[in-house]
Amino acid sequence: MSGTAPPTADPADDTQPPQPAAVPESKGLARRLLGRPELGAVVGAVAVFVFFAFFADSFLRASSLSTVLYASSTIGIMAVPVALLMIGGEFDLSTGVMVTSSALVSSMFSYQMTANAWVGVGVSLLVTLAIGLFNGVVLTRTGLPSFIITLGTFMMLTGLNLGLTKLISGTVSTKGISDMEGFESARALFASQLSIGGVDLQITVVWWLVLVALATWVLLRTRVGNWIFAVGGGVEAARALGVPVSRVKIGLYMAVGLGAWISGQHLLFSYDVVQSGEGVGNELIYIAAAVIGGCLLTGGYGSAVGTAVGALIFGMTSKGIVYAQWNPEWFKFFLGAMLLLATLLNLWIRKRAEASR
């Protein structure tokens, strides 16, 4: 059996199209890794883990890691929709107090109406979605910066949380509803524990992972994900391409409301009683987790997985300081330092990725 050798290109023949140079597989992998927004967060998470594993003897215990995951999940549940909103080019400064509003509405409605606890849960969902709808509609109708709009919402909710709670309950906290019908079943959904391999995990870890998976699927596998990146990259360009900019922004704010509802129900059914002044300042932690995870403040770039890693860094730091028996007042210092370092690292990675293209 004979065959004909394939023709070889004549170096002097300039009529043949140039052949692309082969790119080494390792170099192609390096480019893909440098292009991932969560790379900086992963590097930071590994560094934090190794640091506390060395300085805190009890950090590597299964029970300690379970506590770290719980602390991370309470941040991550809200950080995921906040990250989607930031990728879409907007902010929400009302997220911290919105979580408290969610818990207060659910508790007080159930108590005052002597209703099943699930009725309060349902009303709370409608209220938080309405708050997100309000922020989104005002933003798209007025064109005001999201910073101003959500700062106003933050102040209004802070006042409403305190004023209505004192008006209805007579104190700054709600009444207990643990003896009401439906409380235990709602607690099982929002504040129960799962035993895996003899280690107790809070149900919030499951909520967190589900939200990360759902957000990742939306961003990378759906048309809506393309719209979110497009809107964050440039509103006018996105509108010229036929992207429904207003609907995307309103939907993102309502997604933040959904996250606040989940977090608020966990707060209520974990402690039964809710303090009306809680939540102030947490909005900055959610934003910081998204930024550490690779989201740009200018929008159009980021990932849900990176944000989850950013929340994990917060959880490891907050509990690692305790396990290392250091003064917990240093916690905010470490968080600020990590935010700056992660931002610089993400900037360096993006520049390297752009230079390698």
Side-chain angles (χ1 to χ4, degrees):
M1 181 177 180
S2 61
T4 303
T8 58
D10 183 359
D13 184 6
D14 58 0
T15 61
Q16 299 187 31
Q19 300 299 315
V23 178
E25 184 177 351
S26 59
K27 188 174 181 179
L29 177 60
R31 284 183 179 179
R32 290 195 297 271
L33 288 176
L34 285 174
R36 295 304 307 164
E38 61 269 9
L39 178 60
V42 172
V43 173
V46 171
V48 171
F49 181 85
V50 172
F51 180 82
F52 284 113
F54 182 79
F55 285 101
D57 295 335
S58 60
F59 184 76
L60 294 179
R61 294 176 184 172
S63 58
S64 299
L65 295 177
S66 173
T67 304
V68 167
L69 285 176
Y70 172 58
S72 304
S73 66
T74 56
I75 297 171
I77 287 174
M78 278 303 297
V80 169
V82 167
L84 294 182
L85 183 63
M86 290 178 64
I87 294 172
E90 304 296 344
F91 289 96
D92 192 342
L93 298 179
S94 66
T95 51
V97 292
M98 197 190 305
V99 171
T100 305
S101 299
S102 169
L104 290 172
V105 168
S106 183
S107 176
M108 289 191 292
F109 191 90
S110 297
Y111 185 85
Q112 295 299 322
M113 299 299 175
T114 318
N116 187 296
W118 280 103
V119 176
V121 171
V123 172
S124 177
L125 174 60
L126 295 177
V127 169
T128 51
L129 290 178
I131 295 172
L133 177 65
F134 171 81
N135 285 335
V137 169
V138 173
L139 176 81
T140 55
R141 294 291 179 86
T142 66
L144 290 173
S146 57
F147 178 90
I148 298 298
I149 294 172
T150 57
L151 179 61
T153 306
F154 161 80
M155 292 180 176
M156 289 189 293
L157 289 179
T158 302
L160 284 173
N161 288 349
L162 181 60
L164 289 179
T165 304
K166 292 183 70 175
L167 178 65
I168 296 174
S169 302
T171 64
V172 296
S173 62
T174 61
K175 305 294 184 181
I177 61 170
S178 58
D179 57 344
M180 295 190 66
E181 183 180 355
F183 182 88
E184 290 301 325
S185 58
R187 185 175 187 177
L189 180 61
F190 295 106
S192 60
Q193 290 185 340
L194 303 174
S195 182
I196 301 177
V199 178
D200 291 332
L201 289 178
Q202 291 283 346
I203 193 68
T204 51
V205 177
V206 177
W207 279 104
W208 179 35
L209 296 178
V210 169
L211 288 177
V212 171
L214 179 61
T216 301
W217 175 74
V218 169
L219 285 175
L220 301 182
R221 302 297 181 188
T222 68
R223 178 183 298 179
V224 175
N226 292 333
W227 289 348
I228 294 172
F229 281 110
V231 169
V235 172
E236 295 305 323
R239 187 174 283 114
L241 293 173
V243 175
V245 174
S246 296
R247 282 190 291 163
V248 170
K249 290 183 180 289
I250 292 173
L252 290 174
Y253 274 106
M254 293 183 71
V256 171
L258 177 63
W261 172 71
I262 297 172
S263 295
Q265 302 317 296
H266 171 70
L267 178 65
L268 170 62
F269 292 104
S270 292
Y271 302 103
D272 186 23
V273 175
V274 182
Q275 299 292 328
S276 58
E278 293 184 8
V280 176
N282 287 347
E283 62 280 349
L284 299 180
I285 294 179
Y286 306 144
I287 293 173
V291 172
I292 290 175
C295 292
L296 293 181
L297 296 176
T298 54
Y301 189 81
S303 75
V305 173
T307 301
V309 177
L312 181 61
I313 291 176
F314 272 64
M316 288 192 293
T317 304
S318 63
K319 299 306 176 183
I321 289 176
V322 175
Y323 295 139
Q325 298 182 355
W326 296 344
N327 190 333
E329 293 178 357
W330 286 96
F331 172 60
K332 291 295 178 64
F333 170 81
F334 276 97
L335 291 185
M338 282 190 301
L339 177 60
L340 290 176
L341 290 175
T343 303
L344 291 173
L345 180 59
N346 289 333
L347 179 62
W348 178 81
I349 290 173
R350 288 184 63 243
K351 287 184 176 179
R352 289 293 302 271
E354 292 173 356
S356 64
R357 290 175 182 173

